[in-house]
């Protein structure tokens, strides 16, 4: 069972700008249309867990639903799945340890954890096993931070660094327990 974060941040550690926008992610030239390793990563996972805010951001892109794996949305306020996403998106709520146990019992062993509050919650409960963080060379000066407060430090081992499309650095860290 592995819970993995795969996310991009600004140089100053933000995942969205002050207006909750992520358009700055697309400012990097990518003439060959590389997926920057996302396809390979997605092949490793069984399902995604994201928060409601992240779902809304994905829906705002105005593209076809980008995920082929089940997406579980953590929300205490949503009462139904957005139209057209039935069978692809599932609403869940509860304590994170219970959510993970439920999904693991359903055969979802390798989970992609996405969204600021969701990632921070998983880290606060020490439920993240791997971090794959791609750094975008921009300073936003504020916005939604990737990391929040923790009760105690969490130690990770750096296992890989890769330069992508001549502009980005993708670092992989594994939790040391």
């Amino acid at each position: 069972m592995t819970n993995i974060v795969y996310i991009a941040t600004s140089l100053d550690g933000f995942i969205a700008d002050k207006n909750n926008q992520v358009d700055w992610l697309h400012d990097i030239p990518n003439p060959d249309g590389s997926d920057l390793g996302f396809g390979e990563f997605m092949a490793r996972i069984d399902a995604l867990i994201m928060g409601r805010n992240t779902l809304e951001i994905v829906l705002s892109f105005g593209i076809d639903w980008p995920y082929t794996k089940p997406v579980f949305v953590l929300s205490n306020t949503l009462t139904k799945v957005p139209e057209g996403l039935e069978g692809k998106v599932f609403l869940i709520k509860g304590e994170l340890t219970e959510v993970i146990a439920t999904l693991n019992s359903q055969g979802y062993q390798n989970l992609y954890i996405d969204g600021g509050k969701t990632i921070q919650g998983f880290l606060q409960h020490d439920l993240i096993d791997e971090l794959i963080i791609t750094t975008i060379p921009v300073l936003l000066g504020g916005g939604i931070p990737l990391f929040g407060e923790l009760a105690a430090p969490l130690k990770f081992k750096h296992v890989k660094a890769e330069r992508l499309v001549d502009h980005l650095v993708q670092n992989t860290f594994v939790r040391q327990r």
Side-chain angles (χ1 to χ4, degrees), residues 41-128:
F41 167 72
M42 287 299 288
R44 292 179 52 199
I45 62 119
D46 302 318
L48 293 83
I49 297 177
M50 67 175 59
R52 180 189 50 81
N53 291 338
T54 303
L55 172 67
E56 290 175 5
I57 289 172
V58 172
L59 293 174
S60 77
F61 294 155
I63 60 173
D64 289 338
W65 185 243
Y67 306 110
T68 57
K69 307 282 175 94
V71 175
F72 295 90
V73 177
L74 288 169
S75 177
N76 291 318
T77 58
L78 286 177
T79 57
K80 65 178 185 172
V81 170
E83 188 173 323
L85 295 180
E86 300 86 355
K88 298 176 183 180
V89 172
F90 307 90
L91 303 178
I92 55 172
K93 60 182 171 182
E95 293 295 322
L96 294 180
T97 52
E98 294 170 11
V99 166
I100 294 298
T102 298
L103 294 179
N104 290 164
S105 73
Q106 294 174 8
Y108 302 111
Q109 301 298 312
N110 299 304
L111 301 171
Y112 171 9
I113 312 304
D114 196 15
K117 289 179 184 176
T118 302
I119 292 168
Q120 289 178 16
F122 271 73
L123 285 167
Q124 288 167 353
H125 288 88
D126 195 9
L127 294 172
I128 296 296

Side-chain angles (χ1 to χ4, degrees), residues 3-54:
N3 298 326
I4 310 166
V5 170
Y6 184 102
I7 200 160
T9 69
S10 63
L11 280 174
D12 46 357
F14 295 101
I15 59 173
D17 67 17
K18 294 175 185 177
N19 298 315
N20 203 26
Q21 300 297 309
V22 294
D23 50 344
W24 53 275
L25 291 171
H26 307 289
D27 290 343
I28 299 300
N30 186 358
D32 297 330
S34 170
D35 75 352
L36 309 174
F38 188 69
E40 183 180 330
F41 167 72
M42 287 299 288
R44 292 179 52 199
I45 62 119
D46 302 318
L48 293 83
I49 297 177
M50 67 175 59
R52 180 189 50 81
N53 291 338
T54 303

